[in-house]
Amino acid sequence: MNTPTIRKMGIPLLAGAMGLSFSVFAEDHEMHAQGLYSAEDLLGAEVFDANGDEVGNVEDILLGNDMGLHSIVVQTNEFLGIGERDVVVKRGDFTARVTDDNPMFGDVSYNVHVTAAGEELKGFEEYSEEWWNSTKENLNKAWKNTKETTQSAWENTKHATATAWHNTKESMERDDDKAGQE
């Protein structure tokens, strides 16, 4: 594997790693980093759609193999002619906002805002055993592929480094031999 290929692979991996977090904003939408966030406080938070209408509450928080946030489960209210149900909202499709002006230890409140509104909310996948098994299988395949790609890249890097060092060493020895003959 050549260096440009390794660089091409590294950029998406870096971008993916950077996307593991979810955004937390104060109610006034100015960035107020809190430093630490409690999953316990996020559970039960009210969830609003893109129009600002309350659509449910956070029922669960799902993590991937890397223990990074994968998605949240929202228990929806009765809306748009559909009954209460649990839907999966993936990372990137929501933001969590701190509702307190000055949150204290053990006393932080959040609201969650979903990027979709109205009819779009019907399109979120239902949280079910079938969804769980399918997603688990897909994530395990992705994890295995990432592991294999990383291992392959590491082996190629070790080989390329060893080859470069060997070639440099031979070149230096030839130069030393030439200098000794002169």
Side-chain angles (χ1 to χ4, degrees), residues 24 35 42 52 60 66 95 98 108 114 123 144 147 149 151 174 179:
V24 180
L42 187 59
D60 203 354
D66 62 358
T95 58
V98 176
V108 178
V114 179
K144 183 179 177 187
K147 184 178 170 185
T149 301
Q151 181 66 30
R174 280 192 303 269

Side-chain angles (χ1 to χ4, degrees), residues 22-23 42 69-72 89-96 112-115:
F22 64 97
S23 302
L42 187 59
L69 178 70
H70 177 273
S71 52
I72 59 174
V89 182
K90 294 182 180 175
R91 182 186 71 237
D93 289 336
F94 71 93
T95 58
V112 173
H113 294 259
V114 179
T115 58

Side-chain angles (χ1 to χ4, degrees), residues 65 134-149:
N65 281 332
S134 173
T135 302
K136 182 175 84 169
E137 184 178 325
N138 290 338
L139 289 174
N140 281 333
K141 284 179 184 176
W143 184 259
K144 183 179 177 187
N145 289 342
T146 299
K147 184 178 170 185
E148 289 170 358
T149 301

Side-chain angles (χ1 to χ4, degrees), residues 50-124:
N51 294 330
D53 297 325
E54 185 178 348
V55 295
N57 295 79
V58 176
E59 182 70 19
D60 203 354
I61 299 168
L62 305 177
L63 308 176
N65 281 332
D66 62 358
M67 297 311 289
L69 178 70
H70 177 273
S71 52
I72 59 174
V73 177
V74 174
Q75 184 178 47
T76 63
N77 301 330
E78 282 196 42
F79 68 99
L80 301 173
I82 58 175
E84 202 174 85
R85 66 184 199 139
D86 290 345
V87 295
V88 178
V89 182
K90 294 182 180 175
R91 182 186 71 237
D93 289 336
F94 71 93
T95 58
R97 299 178 183 166
V98 176
T99 60
D100 307 320
D101 287 336
N102 192 15
M104 302 295 286
F105 174 74
D107 190 25
V108 178
S109 297
Y110 299 99
N111 283 337
V112 173
H113 294 259
V114 179
T115 58
E119 291 290 322
E120 295 173 315
L121 292 169
K122 287 183 179 179
F124 281 80

